Each structure stands twice: as structure tokens, then as C-alpha cells.
């Protein structure tokens, strides 16, 4: 369902994104189109104007043609007039000489009357006067036609006027000189008289052509032409409203009222220029396409960016999930470490007391426990590395000590698998080095354990060499681990150091492990500035070469190492490292079981151990007694370890003002040590503690005068201990107490088991009352802490069902404390329903303890 | 929080991008409109160089006003330089100044010498010079212009002949020249037409324009018995002085609204129309290098005063109608003072002879020349 919702949301998001892109793209395209259109308009406009300019010259040429025609005609008439004046020709002959087809000729006197030829209408009188004043010229009269007049002189003065008339018919005759014989097909011209506003010489078919304006009985675009002509001599216009294909032009004929009007095809004027126009449009079109492609490319990038946002979000989710995982792992370690504390602690006791096969069993328990612990440690280490909290702490150490530990840890495992474990240590290597001993040991052991783990038969050889860097104090230690195991495939080598990766699963399915070992190893090696290399032949074996630089403290060689190992082998039984009968220590823990474990582990040191079950009790006790050391549990109800310490420090009557407080916690997550130190603890011990660690810590913090070191060899004691009771073969379905579980947590001792069980049963009423009170008063947080304690104590005496029930209640309690209002109600309901069940299980367990083990 | 910041940045970026796109589009549109736009085309510039002040009554003011109106009608820029000394160096300096303003046509009004004008014109062949005269010139880029004053002056003669009581009419002109002879002959023909017995006394002031000389001439004519005064000259001073002396006069220039009741008529050229025609002339395309139009072209008329008698008015208007219908003033038999026939019966004196050959005075009217 959720997946469906997510997918719908993604679809919607993509749809809106695509729509956004599309709208942006369309906007861009529209802008481009608008610009393109504006550009096209402007270009066409500019082009038309240029065309107009080109064509103006053409109009000028035509007008010049007419001008010449009219002037030549007048000149001819002037010549004849001159001849008449000179008496070379009679006026009648002269008039005849200028005449032609369709033309009227004659002579007028100074009053405008006809002296020869036809009488002209009165409107020609002005023209006649002008001719008499010496101005020859042409005039057009609508009904008469085109009239040319020149003066005929008598001496210095003018006596007559010689005239010539082109009748309208003559003007329209295509054979008349007013019609071009070589006129182009793509143009038409006509002669227009501005004073009478009449067409003087039309072109053929003028009135039927598209250039005749029927409404105005005038040439097409006459008004526009006259308006633009104004004071100019010639103009040309292109107006698509008048004609889409033709340019209009007009040119005045000098010294006359006439002008020519012409129409010329647009394309014929442009000729090649249209190609330029087309090229520009074409290139712009291509640029638009290019731009679109570019924009699409940008949009694609945006899509990619959007996707990368999604990826980033996914990565953040993954990181959060990883953090949650780390937290989960850290919390889990706490849960697992608590019972493991009991197991290993009790087992330590057994190992001290037991002999023979019992000791062997105990040793097996220890081995298994340590394996489990190492797995938990691996997980913890990895979570530390992941969160960047892992630090390399440099300190002086003895290499032989490290190698000794390594040998101890590995040789046993090798012998278990009947593998030969050879160790060759170069005797010249300096023993005293500086570096992180713990991590070095961890890395070496990891690789060696791996070698042992993946070798079924044959041997594991561990060679330690060193190479001194001449330029500085660094010594490059080289640890070579060679095994005769299954080897690694070539294609698997790359996966070798990745986390949770296990190779060749089919063959290795029987081999346990988290797959974290080598991943931690490589990270730690890198943190120590070292390197790791693998050389392997599949099926024949592998060689791991680990190189780690370390600083040399003293140049004292390590010497013959093998002989030391032999000696060490003989020390296998527990010996207390010291006794301190005058020392007093206080152990504070709300869990009695843990108090017992500590008491038991330190029994042989003869230290006076006082215990307190709460912070309050602790505060009371430190006011009454002086303690050399106080071990303080972290997680306690009412007052936790941190608060207790805080109060203890400020307690006026405290006798333990200078006493070191050491934190005791099962909460061994990364960074917790620093937290404790910052809160005022001098040291920190993680549960489960082993005897040696506890002793080491105490030895470290006890005043030296109170410590007595036993003489070597005398401390060894053998205590007989009955073997652990075999698990009872009975129907266990109804049983509240699971004996094997109980034995695990009690170190396999009947006595301890009964003692712990007795303690557990005796606390029943108090515990139940406490829980009832908590629940009734609504203190669910206190209830959760108490039920948490019940969970672990019940498990340690084998009360698995009760423990499970308590665990559920604790979970609900935690849910109540951290949840929302709705969840609170739900969790509280759960607690109310299941609390009586826990009480009943506790009662049944007490019953069973009485009946089965006789414990009251 | 982060999301908001991202959104804000995104919004800012979008606004920025839109603004940029808008500016680019605007620039593109402006660029498209800028290139080849007619807005930036230079207007044609015309120059006017005057010897007198532009507001001086008579030709300076009339031509300046007429040219200004014509230029306005053509949407041309007019640059005027007045009170320019008549010497060639100054004319050259002012011409160059005008050329700096991209002037292609220059009007020269005043008594600049023909040589100076010819010389300047030859130095600037791309400029057309318009001068107020009808004499021939040698440079191709000089265009002469004048008005057929004699046509209006003929009508003025008729009016003066009918109006005079003392039978003596006074006429003042700067120099005897082709133009003044034309004018005086036409006036005399007009007078002769109605009163062949009347005398026209003429005084040449011998200077283009001088207030003292003109006052003196006026005084002499008045003393000689002239009861109507008319004149030829660039200035209107004589008319103003005659009005002050309460002598009837016929003005040679446009009359103002507040003109004297003694002004019985005024010769009234339409300088705006004339300048319109002149501005339209392309000297390279016209065969004729001069402009000389008259009443038939509607560029000059005789403006009659309000106080003339109906008879006078009717006689003037009749003759005006004949001229408009094509009657040539200098036609029919015309004999000069020396008895030489200058025009035979049934012939007409043509323009060319008028412009270049009228260095005589008509007989029939007693023209008394006084120097």
C-alpha cells in the first residue's frame, strides 16, 4: 500500500516536472518565434526599402526617356519656328513639317487666335501666352490632348506661336513614340499629368489591368505616390496593401507638369537579394532548432540534477538507516553482554576450581563465550569505525607480549583443528615499540583466526619480520600469515575486504562468522598507516602480508621467542595476581547477581568487599566507611551511576573524597569510555568482566602498600569441585526454571545456582510489590527499570519464561516512555494486561523452586 | 529549513533568469528597430544668409518668413545667419559654417556682389545657392529667382493714374537697372493706359538702401508735387515714411494689418509659395537656371487698399483678369523715350528680352529722372 502511494507520488512529481519543462520549452520557443517574426518583418521592411531605393533609379530613367522625347519634339518645333522666322519656310509648310499621324498642327497669333490650322479652345490661352513670353512647353487638355507650343519670333519679339497637338487616340496608339518598344514584361509605365490629374499616355490594357483603380478612375496607388513624391523628383514604394507583387514608382518629368507612374514586379528588382533573405531565414530557423536542442540538453541536465537530488535523498535515507543499524547493534551488545558477563565470570570460577575433564568443559565454555564476545566486539568495533569514533591510541608496548597473546589465542584454535601452527619471529626485531598494541593485536589475531578458520588440514605459519627505515625511527613490521587452506578465487579477491562479505559460500557454509573480520582489519591497518596484501592460489592456500610501521622505543632485540612460548604454555591455571587483605572496596549494582559475580571473582584476593544495591545505599555507605575503590554500575533505578557519582563528589560527610570511582557497565558502545571519564570516573570496566581484568584494574588503583604480590609457584592451588550436574532429563514444557540456562549463568555450580535461585525467590515479594507500586502510581519509567532488572536476573537463574515476559513488559515500558500519546495508551494497556502474568510466572517459579530444588 | 532556503534560491534564480531573458528580448527588439530606422535619418537642412537683420521690414522679413514656413511644410531644418557683411570672406566663412550643419541649399538675400557669389559657388559645387535676382550666372550651382513684379506694377500704374489728383506720381528706386526699368516701364504702361497725360517723377537714390537718401528722395518728390509715391527696393522704409508724411503711396512690400490709410495698394508676392517651389527644384534636372513667375502662377498680386474708389478698383480688377487670362503686358506697339519701336504691333516682348534687354524707358508717360 505504502509502495503504491510512493509510486503515485513519484509519478505526480515526474508529471509536474515534465509539465514544467514543457511549459518552459514552449515559452522559449514562443519567444524565439516572436523574435523571429519581428526580425523577419524588419528584414522584409528593410529589404523593401532597399528595393524602393533601387527602383527609384529605374523610375528616373523612364522619366528621363519621356523628358528627352518631349524636349526633342519641342526642339524640332523650335527649329521649324526659327526657319519660319528666317523666311526659309512658309508658316504653312512649317506647320506641315512638324505634323504627323493623329496630330494637329497650326499657328496662333498673339491673341491666341488661329493664324493657321485649327482653332484651339480658350483654355490653351495661358499656354499660348507663356509661349509668347518665350516659354516653350507641353500641356495636356482632357478633351484636346497633349499640346506643345513654341514661339515664332519676328526680330527680338514674338509674333506667333507654333503648336502641335497629340490627340488622345494618337497618344494611345502603341506605335506612337510614347510607347516603349523594348519595355520589359515585368513592368508597366504610364504618363500622368499632375495639373489635370489625368493619365496622358496609358499602357496597353491599362483600364483592364490590376493597376487601374476603378473607384478613383486613377492609376493604382496614385495618392500614396503623390503624397510620398512631395518635393522629391522620384520615389518608389512597396505597399503590400496596394499590391503584393509589384513595386509602385513615380518620377516627375523636369520642367513640366507630367510624371511617369510605373509598376514593376518585386522579384525582378530583388533578383539575388531574395537569396540572402532566404539564407538569413533559413539560418535563423536552423539557429532556432539549435537553440531548442541546446535547451533540451539543458533540460535533460536539469532532469539529471533532479534525479541526483532523489539519489541524494536516498543516500541520506540509507545513512540514517545505517545509523539506526549502528545504534541497534550497540544496544544489542548491551543485551548480549549482560548474560555473557555471568557466563564468562562463572566460567572463570570453574576454571579456577576445576580439574580434569571438568576443566576441559569449562575451557570449552570459555572458548565459546570468547568467540561470542569477539563477534560482539567485532560488531562494536565496526560500528565505532563507521561512526568515526575509533581512535588509534599510541603507547609503549612490548612486541613479545603481543606475540605471546597472539600465540596463545591462535595456537589453541589451531590445535583444536589438528593444524600445525608455526611461528617464526626474527630475533633481531626490537621488542620495545610504540603504537596501538590493542589494535595491532586485533589485526594480527583476525588474520590468523581467519587462516585457521579456512584451513581444514595442514598448517598455518606466522612469520614476523621487520625492516628499518633509515631516514626515521620507523620500523616496518611485516607479519606474514601463510596457510594451506582453501585459498581465494581470483575473482573474489576484490570482495575480500568488504564488510559482511563471505566468499565461496558453498564450501564455507559450515564456517561461522560475521564477515566483518577482514573489513575491520583493513580499516584498522589503514588507520595505523599500514598495508595489507593477499597472495592466494585457489585450493592451495593463501598468504596475507601485513605491513605496519611502528616507532622503536628501545633497540633491544626480542630474542628467541619460541622458547618463551614453551614456558608460557605451562601456565594455564588461575593464580591470583595479588592479595590485599587490608583493602576495602565497594561494589554498587542494582543486580544482586552481578554483585555476587564480582564478590566471587575477587574472593581469592582477600579484599574486603562491600556491596550496595542502589545509588542511595552507596551514598550512605561512603559516609560510614572508607573505601579504596568504588565500582559503580551505570544503569540503576532511581539514581543512576552518573548521578550517584555527582552526589558522592558533593557529599560533605563522605569518607571517600579521594577514592577512585570506576564505572561498571554493560553498555559498552563506542565513545562510552570517554563519556565516563568526562563525568569524573577514573576508569571504566565493561561487563562481563573477567577476573584478570578486574584484578588488573584494582591493582592499578589500590594504594601500593596494601598490595601483596604472592611468591611464584606458591599461589597455585587446586580445589576440588564436583562436576556440574548433568541436565535433568524431564519434561520441561511446564517448567519455569530451565536448568541448563541457569547453570550457564551461574558458572555451572549447583551451589551458586541454588544460592542465586534462593536470592531470586526471596526477593519475589519485594520485587512484585515494587512493580505493583510503580504501576499503580503511574511511574512507568521506574517500572521499566525494575522490569529490566527482573528480565536479566530471571534469565540468570533459568527463568526463561519470566524473563521473556519481563522483556515484553520492558519493551512496552520503553515504548510508553518514548512514544506518542496514542502509543502510550496502547503500551500502558499492554503493561496492565500482562503485568499480572509476570507476577503469576514469578509465583509459579517460586513454587517450582521450592518443589524442585527445595529452595525457600 | 533547508528546503525553504533551496526554494528561495530557486525562486531568486528564476526571477533573475526571467529578468535576464526580458532584457535580452528588449535589447533584441530595440536593436531590430534601431538598425535602418528612419528616426535616425538626418533631416534636410536649408541655409539662409541675410545682409540685413532677419526682422527688417521688406525682403529680409518677408523672405525669412516665407522660407521658414516652406521649410516647416517640408520638414526641413532652416539655419539663418543675418547681418552678414557683404564681402566674400565673410560669405565664405558663413557658408562653411552652414556646410558644417549639412546644409545643401543656401539662400542669399541682400546686395552680395555677383562675383563673390560666383566664387563661393565654384568652391562648393555640391551646394545649390539661390539668389534673389534674374541675371544670368556662370556657375551651374547658382539658381536665380525673382517675381514678375511688373505684372502687379502694371495694375499699380492703372490705380495710380486714376487716383492722382496732382497728376504727378513719384517713384523712388536705388539704381537704374534691368529690374527697375522693367518695373518702371510696366508702371508707366499702366498709368498710360488710363491717363496718357500724367508725369511719373523718378528719383534714383544711388544706394541699395539708405534711410537718409530715401527720406531725401521722398521730400524732393513731395515738393515736386507728387501726391502718390511708389518705390522699388529691399526695405519698406519709404512706405513708412510716406505714411508718416501722410502721402498716398503704393507699397512694394506686403502691408501689415496696421498699415496706413494712405497705402492705396501694395504689391504682394507670396513668398511661401515661391519658396515651396524653390525647395522642390532639383537644379541638376532642370534646364532652366532661374525662377521667374507671376500672376498667372498665383505667386504675386496687387493688394488693394480699402479707401480706393469703385471705379479705380473696377479698372484694376478688369486689367488683372486680362493678365490672368493671358494678356502679356509688354505686347503691341511700344516705343521708347527716344522714339525707337521696342515692340511692334502684334508682337510680344519675350522673357529673355525683358531679363536681358530692357535698358530703356517707354514713351508716352513723362518720366522725369532726377539724380
Amino acid at each position: 500500500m505504502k509502495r503504491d502511494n510512493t509510486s503515485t507520488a513519484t509519478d505526480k512529481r515526474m508529471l509536474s516536472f515534465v509539465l514544467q519543462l514543457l511549459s518552459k520549452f514552449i515559452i522559449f520557443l514562443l519567444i524565439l518565434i516572436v523574435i523571429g517574426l519581428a526580425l523577419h518583418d524588419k528584414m522584409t521592411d528593410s529589404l523593401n526599402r532597399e528595393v524602393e531605393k533601387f527602383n527609384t533609379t529605374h523610375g528616373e530613367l523612364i522619366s528621363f526617356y519621356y523628358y528627352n522625347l518631349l524636349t526633342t519634339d519641342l526642339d524640332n518645333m523650335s527649329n521649324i519656328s526659327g526657319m519660319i522666322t528666317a523666311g526659309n519656310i512658309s508658316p504653312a509648310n512649317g506647320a506641315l513639317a512638324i505634323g504627323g499621324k493623329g496630330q494637329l498642327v497650326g499657328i496662333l497669333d498673339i491673341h491666341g487666335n488661329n493664324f493657321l490650322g485649327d482653332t484651339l479652345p480658350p483654355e490653351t490661352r495661358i499656354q499660348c501666352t507663356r509661349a509668347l513670353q518665350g516659354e516653350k512647353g507641353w500641356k495636356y487638355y482632357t478633351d484636346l490632348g497633349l499640346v506643345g507650343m513654341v514661339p515664332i519670333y519676328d526680330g527680338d519679339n514674338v509674333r506667333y506661336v507654333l503648336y502641335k497637338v497629340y490627340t488622345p487616340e494618337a497618344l494611345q496608339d502603341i506605335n506612337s513614340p510614347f510607347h516603349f518598344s523594348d519595355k520589359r514584361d515585368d513592368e508597366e509605365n504610364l504618363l500622368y499629368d499632375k495639373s489635370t490629374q489625368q493619365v496622358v499616355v496609358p499602357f496597353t490594357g491599362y483600364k483592364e489591368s490590376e493597376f487601374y483603380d476603378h473607384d478613383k478612375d486613377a492609376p493604382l496607388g496614385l495618392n500614396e505616390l503623390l503624397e510620398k513624391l512631395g518635393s522629391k523628383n522620384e520615389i518608389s514604394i512597396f505597399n503590400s496593401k496596394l499590391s503584393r507583387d509589384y513595386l509602385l514608382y513615380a518620377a516627375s518629368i523636369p520642367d513640366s507638369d507630367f510624371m511617369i507612374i510605373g509598376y514593376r514586379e518585386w522579384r525582378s528588382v530583388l533578383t539575388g537579394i531574395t537569396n540572402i533573405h532566404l539564407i538569413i531565414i533559413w539560418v535563423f530557423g536552423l539557429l532556432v532548432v539549435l537553440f531548442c536542442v541546446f535547451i533540451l540538453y539543458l533540460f535533460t541536465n536539469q532532469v539529471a540534477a533532479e534525479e541526483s537530488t532523489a539519489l541524494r535523498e536516498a543516500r541520506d535515507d540509507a545513512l540514517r538507516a545505517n545509523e539506526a543499524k549502528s545504534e541497534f547493534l550497540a544496544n544489542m551488545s548491551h543485551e548480549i553482554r549482560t548474560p555473557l558477563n555471568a557466563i564468562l565470570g562463572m566460567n572463570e570460577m570453574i576454571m579456577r576450581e576445576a580439574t580434569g575433564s571438568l576443566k576441559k568443559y569449562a575451557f570449552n565454555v570459555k572458548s565459546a563465550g570468547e568467540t561470542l564476545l569477539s563477534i560482539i566486539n567485532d560488531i562494536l568495533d565496526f560500528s565505532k569505525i563507521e561512526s568515526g569514533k575509533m581512535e588509534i591510541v599510541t603507547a609503549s608496548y612490548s612486541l613479545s607480549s603481543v606475540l605471546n597473546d597472539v600465540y596463545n589465542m591462535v595456537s589453541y584454535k589451531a590445535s583444536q583443528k589438528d593444524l600445525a601452527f608455526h611461528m617464526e619471529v626474527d630475533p633481531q626485531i626490537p621488542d620495545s615499540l610504540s603504537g596501538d598494541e590493542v589494535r595491532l593485536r586485533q589485526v594480527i589475531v583476525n588474520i590468523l583466526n581467519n587462516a585457521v578458520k579456512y584451513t581444514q588440514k595442514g598448517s598455518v605459519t606466522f612469520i614476523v619480520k621487520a625492516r628499518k627505515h633509515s631516514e626515521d625511527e620507523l620500523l616496518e613490521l611485516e607479519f606474514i600469515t601463510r596457510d594451506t587452506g582453501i585459498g581465494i578465487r581470483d575473482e573474489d579477491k576484490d570482495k575480500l575486504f568488504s564488510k559482511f562479505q563471505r566468499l565461496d559460500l558453498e564450501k564455507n557454509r559450515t564456517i561461522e562468522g560475521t564477515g566483518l573480520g577482514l573489513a575491520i582489519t583493513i580499516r584498522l591497518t589503514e588507520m595505523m598507516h599500514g598495508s595489507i596484501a593477499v597472495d592466494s592460489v585457489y585450493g592451495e592456500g593463501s598468504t596475507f602480508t601485513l605491513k605496519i610501521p611502528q616507532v622503536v622505543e628501545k633497540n633491544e632485540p626480542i630474542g628467541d621467542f619460541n622458547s618463551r612460548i614453551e614456558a608460557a604454555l605451562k601456565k594455564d591455571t588461575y593464580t591470583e595476581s595479588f592479595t590485599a587483605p587490608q583493602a576495602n572496596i565497594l561494589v554498587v549494582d542494582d543486580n544482586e547477581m552481578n554483585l555476587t559475580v564480582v564478590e566471587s571473582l575477587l574472593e581469592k584476593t582477600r579484599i574486603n568487599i562491600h556491596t550496595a544495591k542502589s545509588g542511595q545505599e552507596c551514598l550512605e555507605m561512603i559516609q560510614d566507611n572508607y573505601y579504596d575503590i568504588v565500582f559503580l554500575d551505570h544503569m540503576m533505578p532511581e539514581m543512576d551511576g552518573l548521578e550517584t557519582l555527582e552526589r558522592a563528589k558533593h557529599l560533605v560527610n563522605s569518607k571517600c573524597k579521594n577514592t577512585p570511582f570506576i564505572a561498571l557497565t554493560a553498555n559498552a558502545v563506542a565513545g562510552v569510555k570517554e563519556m565516563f571519564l568526562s563525568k569524573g570516573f577514573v576508569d571504566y570496566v565493561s561487563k562481563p568482566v573477567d577476573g584478570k581484568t578486574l584484578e588488573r584494574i584494582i591493582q592499578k588503583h589500590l594504594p601500593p602498600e596494601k598490595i601483596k604480590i604472592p611468591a611464584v609457584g606458591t599461589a597455585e592451588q587446586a580445589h576440588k569441585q564436583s562436576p556440574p550436574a548433568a541436565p535433568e532429563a524431564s519434561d520441561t514444557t511446564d517448567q519455569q526454571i530451565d536448568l541448563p540456562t541457569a547453570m550457564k549463568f551461574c558458572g555451572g555450580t549447583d551451589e551458586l545456582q541454588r544460592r542465586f535461585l534462593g536470592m531470586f525467590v526471596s526477593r519475589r515479594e519485594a520485587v512484585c510489590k515494587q512493580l505493583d507500586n510503580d504501576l499503580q502510581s503511574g511511574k512507568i519509567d521506574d517500572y521499566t527499570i525494575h522490569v529490566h532488572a527482573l528480565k536479566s536476573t530471571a534469565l540468570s537463574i533459568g527463568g526463561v519464561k519470566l524473563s521473556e515476559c519481563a522483556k515484553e513488559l520492558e519493551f512496552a515500558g520503553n515504548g510508553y516512555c518514548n512514544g506518542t500519546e496514542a502509543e502510550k495508551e496502547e503500551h500502558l494497556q499492554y503493561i496492565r494486561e500482562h503485568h499480572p502474568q509476570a507476577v503469576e510466572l514469578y509465583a509459579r517459579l517460586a513454587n517450582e523452586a521450592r518443589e524442585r530444588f527445595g529452595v525457600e | 529549513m533547508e528546503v525553504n532556503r533551496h526554494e528561495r534560491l530557486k525562486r531568486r534564480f528564476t526571477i533573475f533568469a526571467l529578468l535576464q531573458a526580458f532584457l535580452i528580448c528588449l535589447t533584441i527588439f530595440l536593436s531590430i528597430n534601431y538598425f535602418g530606422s528612419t528616426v535616425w535619418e538626418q533631416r534636410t537642412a536649408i541655409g539662409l544668409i541675410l545682409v540685413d537683420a532677419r526682422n527688417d521690414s521688406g525682403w529680409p522679413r518677408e523672405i525669412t518668413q516665407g522660407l521658414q514656413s516652406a521649410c516647416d511644410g517640408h520638414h526641413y531644418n532652416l539655419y539663418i545667419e543675418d547681418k552678414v557683411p557683404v564681402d566674400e570672406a565673410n560669405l565664405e566663412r558663413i557658408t562653411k559654417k552652414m556646410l558644417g550643419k549639412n546644409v545643401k541649399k543656401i539662400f542669399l538675400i541682400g546686395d552680395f556682389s555677383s562675383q563673390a557669389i560666383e566664387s563661393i559657388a565654384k568652391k562648393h559645387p555640391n551646394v545649390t545657392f539661390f539668389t534673389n535676382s534674374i541675371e544670368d550666372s556662370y556657375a551651374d550651382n547658382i539658381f536665380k529667382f525673382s517675381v514678375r513684379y511688373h505684372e502687379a506694377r502694371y495694375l499699380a500704374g492703372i490705380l495710380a493714374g486714376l487716383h492722382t489728383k496732382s497728376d504727378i506720381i513719384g517713384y523712388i528706386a536705388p539704381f537704374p537697372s534691368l529690374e527697375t526699368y522693367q518695373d518702371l516701364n510696366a508702371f508707366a504702361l499702366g498709368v498710360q493706359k488710363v491717363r496718357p497725360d500724367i508725369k511719373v517723377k523718378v528719383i534714383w537714390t544711388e544706394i541699395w538702401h539708405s534711410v537718409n537718401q530715401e527720406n531725401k528722395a521722398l521730400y524732393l518728390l513731395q515738393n515736386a508735387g507728387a501726391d502718390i509715391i511708389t518705390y522699388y527696393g529691399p526695405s519698406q522704409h519709404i512706405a513708412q515714411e510716406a505714411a508718416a508724411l501722410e502721402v498716398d503711396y503704393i507699397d512694394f512690400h506686403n502691408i501689415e494689418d496696421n498699415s496706413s490709410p494712405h497705402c492705396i495698394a501694395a504689391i504682394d508676392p507670396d513668398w511661401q509659395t515661391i519658396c515651396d517651389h524653390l525647395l522642390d527644384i532639383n537644379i541638376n534636372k532642370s534646364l532652366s537656371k532661374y525662377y521667374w513667375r507671376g500672376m498667372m502662377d498665383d505667386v504675386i498680386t496687387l493688394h488693394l487698399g480699402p479707401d480706393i474708389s469703385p471705379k479705380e478698383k473696377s479698372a484694376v480688377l478688369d486689367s488683372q483678369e486680362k493678365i490672368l487670362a493671358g494678356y502679356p503686358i509688354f505686347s503691341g506697339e511700344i516705343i521708347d523715350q527716344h522714339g525707337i519701336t521696342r515692340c511692334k504691333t502684334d508682337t510680344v516682348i519675350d522673357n529673355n528680352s525683358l531679363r536681358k534687354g530692357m535698358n530703356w524707358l517707354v514713351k508716352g508717360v513723362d518720366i522725369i529722372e532726377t539724380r
Side-chain angles (χ1 to χ4, degrees), chain A residues 777-800:
Chain A
S777 60
K779 293 178 184 167
I780 303 299
D781 46 350
D782 283 351
Y783 182 87
T784 309
I785 291 174
H786 291 131
V787 90
H788 163 83
L790 179 62
K791 176 191 73 179
S792 52
T793 46
L795 188 66
S796 66
I797 54 97
V800 180

Side-chain angles (χ1 to χ4, degrees), chain A residues 165-406:
Chain A
V165 179
Y166 284 93
T167 59
E169 293 74 29
L171 290 169
Q172 287 183 19
D173 182 1
I174 57 166
N175 295 318
S176 82
F178 295 100
H179 290 270
F180 294 84
S181 54
D182 57 347
K183 183 182 71 68
R184 293 158 60 109
D185 292 338
D186 53 17
E187 66 173 86
E188 297 291 357
N189 297 294
L190 50 82
L191 189 65
Y192 183 80
D193 179 35
K194 287 185 272 187
S195 61
T196 56
Q197 300 182 354
Q198 295 290 323
V199 173
V200 181
V201 183
F203 53 82
T204 314
Y206 158 66
K207 295 224 169 180
E208 291 75 40
S209 74
E210 56 181 309
F211 307 121
Y212 175 63
D213 191 337
H214 288 270
D215 299 336
K216 295 174 185 161
D217 184 27
L220 181 73
L222 178 70
N223 291 342
E224 287 80 3
L225 286 168
L226 285 174
E227 190 186 342
K228 196 178 173 189
L229 191 61
S231 61
K232 296 191 189 79
N233 290 91
E234 53 275 319
I235 50 103
S236 182
I237 53 174
F238 177 78
N239 187 340
S240 55
K241 286 177 193 161
L242 296 171
S243 172
R244 298 188 64 82
D245 299 325
Y246 282 83
L247 273 163
L248 282 65
Y249 56 91
S252 298
I253 295 171
D255 302 331
S256 76
D257 289 332
F258 305 123
M259 68 178 198
I260 60 103
I261 291 176
Y263 305 91
R264 191 173 175 201
E265 206 177 350
W266 191 78
R267 294 195 177 282
S268 73
V269 182
L270 278 175
T271 58
I273 299 174
T274 41
N275 292 340
I276 298 171
H277 190 215
L278 283 176
I279 286 167
I280 292 171
I281 289 175
W282 173 240
V283 170
F284 185 82
L286 285 180
L287 280 177
V288 169
V289 173
L290 185 72
F291 199 68
C292 289
V293 170
F294 177 67
I295 285 171
L296 277 178
Y297 169 76
L298 281 183
F299 289 166
T300 317
N301 274 359
Q302 211 175 339
V303 175
E306 198 75 12
E307 280 171 355
S308 85
T309 309
L311 283 176
R312 197 167 54 240
E313 282 167 7
R315 188 201 61 190
D316 291 346
D317 286 348
L319 283 177
R320 274 195 291 278
N322 199 35
E323 273 171 29
K325 178 207 73 186
S326 293
E327 201 176 330
F328 170 75
L329 289 177
N331 290 343
M332 276 303 291
S333 76
H334 178 258
E335 292 299 315
I336 298 166
R337 273 169 177 249
T338 306
L340 203 57
N341 179 40
I343 295 167
L344 290 177
M346 290 302 116
N347 195 56
E348 180 77 18
M349 298 306 301
I350 297 167
M351 283 178 65
R352 285 182 200 175
E353 306 294 332
T355 52
S357 60
L358 194 61
K359 184 165 182 173
K360 193 179 161 192
Y361 299 147
F363 200 82
N364 287 349
V365 171
K366 184 187 177 189
S367 170
E370 280 173 352
T371 305
L372 183 57
L373 193 60
S374 81
I375 290 171
I376 293 167
N377 283 341
D378 273 0
I379 295 170
L380 270 178
D381 281 348
F382 197 78
S383 73
K384 270 188 187 177
I385 291 172
E386 290 263 283
S387 60
K389 286 177 181 164
M390 175 70 87
E391 282 174 16
I392 296 299
V393 182
T394 307
S396 299
Y397 71 94
S398 160
L399 178 63
S400 57
S401 161
V402 174
L403 294 177
N404 202 32
D405 290 350
V406 168

Side-chain angles (χ1 to χ4, degrees), chain A residues 31 34 38 42 49 60 67 110-111 125-126 129-130 133 135 153-154 156-158 231 233-234 254-255, chain B residues 25 29 32 35-36 38 74 76 148 280 282 285-287 297 324-326 342-343 346-348 350-351:
Chain A
I31 290 174
V34 170
K42 182 68 187 177
R49 279 212 270 150
E60 194 181 355
Y67 176 73
I110 69 161
H111 308 293
R125 174 70 178 137
I126 303 258
T129 305
R130 288 193 194 283
Q133 287 170 346
E135 285 183 22
Y153 282 86
D154 176 10
D156 288 336
N157 299 330
V158 182
S231 61
N233 290 91
E234 53 275 319
D255 302 331
Chain B
C25 288
F29 278 106
I32 288 174
F35 294 111
T38 50
H74 279 75
Y76 292 169
R148 299 172 79 90
D280 288 348
N282 183 345
K285 299 218 168 150
S286 176
L287 269 185
D297 305 292
L324 290 174
R342 293 294 179 173
C343 186
D346 289 338
T347 61
V348 177
D350 75 337
N351 290 343

